[in-house]
Amino acid sequence: MARDTTDQTPLSSVTELTDYLAGGCKAEADFRIGTEHEKFAFFREDNSPVPYYGDASISALLTGMQAKLGWEPIMDGENIIGLGEQHGMGAISIEPGGQFELSGAPLENLHQTCKESNQHLATLREVAEPMGIRFLGIGGSPLWSYDETPRMPKSRYAIMTRYMPKVGTKGLDMMYRTCTIQVNLDFSSEADMRRKMRVSMKLQSLATALFASSPFTEGKPNGLLSWRGDIWRDTDNRRSGVLPFTFEADFGFKDYVEWALDVPMYFIVRDGKYHDCTHVTFRQFMNGALKGEIADWQPTMGDWTNHLSTLFPDVRLKRFLEMRGADGGPWRRICALPAFWVGLLYDDEALTAADTLTAGWSFDEVIALRDAVPARGLTAEIAGKPLLGIAREVLAISRTGLKNRNRLNGEGQDETVFLSSLDEVLAKKTTLAEDMLALYNGRWGGSVLPVFEEYQY
């Protein structure tokens, strides 16, 4: 997230929190696609990570991108930590370990999304190449230890770094050593949100399997296909994972609010200063828990929107839905991830088919799949069925949805062209992680170093 919110509108009731989420409902004609992708910055000369400070650094990349794009710098004290397009049409941010992220503009179709990613990477290469910097597009840091990974001077990350070891064993690895591709999608009503949340929550582990690309840690195989997926199994289970209430027939905005209220906060921002609030939940904050501790203790709408951004379920609800299950990956995967979900969720025929396909999956079965996928990938099973077969069915549904949308590019192609990299996964019956492991055990000669050359942007 590039910029924390500073909306000073006072809060007085839980109803206002629910109304805020409901305010995301929009007409189907106004649905948009917002794609986010992260990548690891490294020095071409020795594959070492890029620090924040210096002539060749993360801060220099941000400054260079600001000069190229003309976007507004986002500051944390005296440090540049991101860029924002002046009219809300995209942002650039940095993750805790220097992962460089584009949060794309809300766009109408996948052709625009893919063009946006291509333009971003091309501009970034122009800035990075003179510094000897390139970018790696996979889901987990393959070489650097936690101690070797840089730290970004972003106030919210300092609070999170202190807090993570208190609530799980893998939160610091999540922060500093993983990358993802995500897509943000709209809903038209509470009922539409409910159905999209239910379907995408159940299918998120399928996305983890299809996009698995994190089989290496600290220079050797880690025994997993999606190390990133495994990390999320013990990061902070009060604020992450599969939410059981989303399986209920009458789930709505209020249920999400009630859950969010009882998750510990990370911070509030007052006059540009971040205050550590990890000792209270948002409900306690609403009930005056910080009175006497912080001068301006009254909760605001900005506090609520910031709190929503610190919740990490597999599908996150804001005024839109965020699909959070996939590892990072090469350029084609940046286009494939939104194509996969847009096909499933933005066409009624496809959404109905996906809902029907997953209707019998229980919460316990979905959790079991989530636990199995990081190691087993597409060989995992749910409800007694191999995930590979389910993947074929789901991809066919997504393709139908994209065909029904009939959004064509200048050459007359519809959006199904962006599913090709996933078609290849199913045809070969192997994930990108398995392809990399085969190379490691073959042509790469037991070294992970070639990954920096073969999977760079």
Side-chain angles (χ1 to χ4, degrees), residues 210-232:
L210 286 170
F211 288 81
S213 65
S214 46
F216 304 121
T217 308
E218 296 183 19
K220 59 183 183 295
N222 52 35
L224 300 163
L225 301 179
S226 177
W227 178 47
R228 178 186 174 276
D230 185 66
I231 283 170
W232 276 111

Side-chain angles (χ1 to χ4, degrees), residues 36-70:
E36 305 177 18
H37 62 91
E38 303 165 355
K39 50 272 185 194
F40 296 104
F42 67 95
F43 286 113
R44 180 180 65 246
E45 182 179 13
D46 60 1
N47 303 318
S48 63
V50 177
Y52 176 80
Y53 297 102
D55 294 334
S57 63
I58 297 296
S59 58
L61 287 173
L62 288 170
T63 301
M65 289 293 282
Q66 198 277 329
K68 288 278 187 182
L69 300 172

Side-chain angles (χ1 to χ4, degrees), residues 159-160 163 236 238-239 260-270 275-286 289-290 294 297 299-300 302-304 306-308 310-311:
I159 293 169
M160 292 172 66
Y163 183 67
D236 179 352
R238 288 187 68 175
R239 72 178 68 239
L261 280 168
D262 291 321
V263 175
M265 300 169 64
Y266 280 162
F267 60 84
I268 62 173
V269 184
R270 295 293 185 268
H275 298 268
D276 187 329
C277 297
T278 53
H279 57 297
V280 299
T281 66
F282 204 91
R283 192 185 302 276
Q284 292 168 331
F285 177 41
M286 290 280 288
L290 298 181
I294 296 173
W297 60 268
T300 69
D303 297 327
W304 176 238
N306 287 336
H307 182 59
L308 291 176
T310 70
L311 309 178

Side-chain angles (χ1 to χ4, degrees), residues 9-294:
T9 305
L11 292 176
S12 58
S13 72
V14 172
T15 300
E16 293 170 316
L17 310 183
T18 304
D19 289 345
Y20 172 81
L21 292 180
C25 296
K26 59 180 61 174
E28 187 173 341
D30 296 328
F31 283 3
R32 295 293 183 266
I33 303 163
T35 303
E36 305 177 18
H37 62 91
E38 303 165 355
K39 50 272 185 194
F40 296 104
F42 67 95
F43 286 113
R44 180 180 65 246
E45 182 179 13
D46 60 1
N47 303 318
S48 63
V50 177
Y52 176 80
Y53 297 102
D55 294 334
S57 63
I58 297 296
S59 58
L61 287 173
L62 288 170
T63 301
M65 289 293 282
Q66 198 277 329
K68 288 278 187 182
L69 300 172
W71 291 7
E72 296 177 348
I74 299 169
M75 308 299 292
D76 189 330
E78 296 182 352
N79 297 310
I80 183 170
I81 58 166
L83 303 172
E85 201 279 334
Q86 292 88 330
H87 305 290
M89 297 299 286
I92 291 171
S93 59
I94 51 175
E95 292 298 305
Q99 305 96 314
F100 210 84
E101 178 179 4
L102 173 70
S103 297
L107 301 172
E108 294 184 24
N109 62 63
L110 293 161
H111 306 294
Q112 295 170 340
T113 292
C114 214
K115 181 179 179 181
E116 173 192 58
S117 296
N118 204 17
Q119 289 176 334
H120 165 75
L121 293 172
T123 305
L124 186 56
R125 280 192 294 268
E126 288 182 32
V127 175
E129 192 64 27
M131 303 181 202
I133 295 172
R134 292 186 179 172
F135 299 88
L136 179 62
I138 63 174
S141 176
L143 183 62
W144 316 318
S145 69
Y146 171 75
D147 289 337
E148 291 170 332
T149 303
R151 304 291 184 266
M152 300 298 107
K154 194 169 176 179
S155 297
R156 69 150 52 195
Y157 295 157
I159 293 169
M160 292 172 66
T161 298
R162 292 192 298 269
Y163 183 67
M164 283 295 183
K166 302 176 183 179
V167 291
T169 61
K170 301 175 181 178
L172 295 179
D173 283 330
M174 179 278 290
M175 292 176 62
Y176 288 94
R177 298 204 285 176
T178 65
C179 280
T180 185
I181 306 167
Q182 296 180 187
V183 64
N184 305 323
L185 299 174
D186 292 313
F187 46 81
S188 61
S189 64
E190 186 170 56
D192 188 43
M193 180 280 296
R194 177 186 303 123
R195 189 160 66 141
K196 288 174 176 173
M197 174 75 98
R198 179 172 64 232
V199 167
S200 57
M201 192 71 81
K202 290 179 178 180
L203 289 176
Q204 213 58 224
S205 290
L206 173 57
T208 303
L210 286 170
F211 288 81
S213 65
S214 46
F216 304 121
T217 308
E218 296 183 19
K220 59 183 183 295
N222 52 35
L224 300 163
L225 301 179
S226 177
W227 178 47
R228 178 186 174 276
D230 185 66
I231 283 170
W232 276 111
R233 296 177 59 238
D234 191 23
T235 288
D236 179 352
N237 291 329
R238 288 187 68 175
R239 72 178 68 239
S240 60
V242 180
L243 304 179
F245 56 83
T246 62
F247 286 62
E248 300 296 327
D250 59 350
F251 154 68
F253 294 120
K254 189 174 187 299
D255 297 281
Y256 194 89
V257 167
E258 289 294 330
W259 168 72
L261 280 168
D262 291 321
V263 175
M265 300 169 64
Y266 280 162
F267 60 84
I268 62 173
V269 184
R270 295 293 185 268
D271 297 323
K273 180 181 178 182
Y274 284 69
H275 298 268
D276 187 329
C277 297
T278 53
H279 57 297
V280 299
T281 66
F282 204 91
R283 192 185 302 276
Q284 292 168 331
F285 177 41
M286 290 280 288
N287 291 333
L290 298 181
K291 188 176 183 179
E293 182 176 334
I294 296 173

Side-chain angles (χ1 to χ4, degrees), residues 332-333 395 419-431 435:
R332 293 173 69 207
R333 299 295 180 94
L395 201 61
L419 295 178
S420 59
S421 63
L422 301 183
D423 292 333
E424 292 168 10
V425 170
L426 299 186
K428 294 191 302 182
K429 302 180 183 178
T430 58
T431 62
D435 293 343

